[in-house]
Amino acid sequence: QVELVESGGGSVQAGGSLRLSCSGSRINLNTLDVGWYRQAPGKQREWVGNITDAGTTDYAASVKGRFTVSRDAARNVVYLQMSRAKPDDTAVYYCHTRFKANYWGRGTQVTVSP
C-alpha cells in the first residue's frame, strides 16, 4: 500500500526555521512531482511549493525566498525547509504526489508564535 508520511513539524518562534520531511513507502518519489500544501484553521488547503521529477522547484508567492523544497534520492524523501517563519505560516502541512492516483500524507502541524 502506497503511503506518504510527513514529519518534522512542531513549534517555532517567528524568524525561526523548521525542516519538514515527506517519506514515501511503496512509491518512488524520485520519479514523480511532489508538492507541499498547507491548511490553516478555517481556511482552504493551499499550495506551498513543489519539486518536479527533474528537480525543478516552484513556490507560492507567500513563501518564495523563505521556503525551499528539495529531495534526498537515496532516502526517497522530499523536504520542505522553512526559514524566516511567520505566524501566518501556522498550519497543517501535507505532501502530495500522483501516480495513477492522488496520494496525500496525514499532515504535520507547524505552529509559529509571534
Side-chain angles (χ1 to χ4, degrees):
Q1 180 175 336
V2 172
E3 189 176 22
L4 298 182
V5 178
E6 301 93 341
S7 62
S11 298
V12 65
Q13 288 191 319
S17 300
L18 275 177
R19 188 177 76 166
L20 308 183
S21 300
C22 173
S23 300
S25 294
R26 297 182 177 82
I27 190 167
N28 185 356
L29 297 180
N30 302 320
T31 63
L32 301 170
D33 297 352
V34 178
W36 283 97
Y37 293 76
R38 67 187 181 185
Q39 187 166 18
K43 295 188 177 180
Q44 289 191 331
R45 189 171 298 188
E46 65 175 0
W47 172 72
V48 174
N50 65 270
I51 186 165
T52 69
D53 58 345
T56 303
T57 56
D58 197 9
Y59 303 94
S62 58
V63 306
K64 192 173 262 187
R66 300 189 298 119
F67 290 11
T68 302
V69 181
S70 62
R71 60 164 37 106
D72 183 331
R75 295 174 182 259
N76 198 31
V77 172
V78 172
Y79 298 107
L80 178 67
Q81 177 69 49
M82 305 172 58
S83 302
R84 290 184 281 138
K86 302 177 180 180
D88 284 348
D89 295 325
T90 295
V92 178
Y93 284 72
Y94 301 88
C95 61
H96 167 267
T97 195
R98 178 175 175 82
F99 179 68
K100 300 182 180 179
N102 283 303
Y103 295 103
W104 292 90
R106 293 187 178 183
T108 185
Q109 174 71 48
V110 172
T111 302
V112 183
S113 57

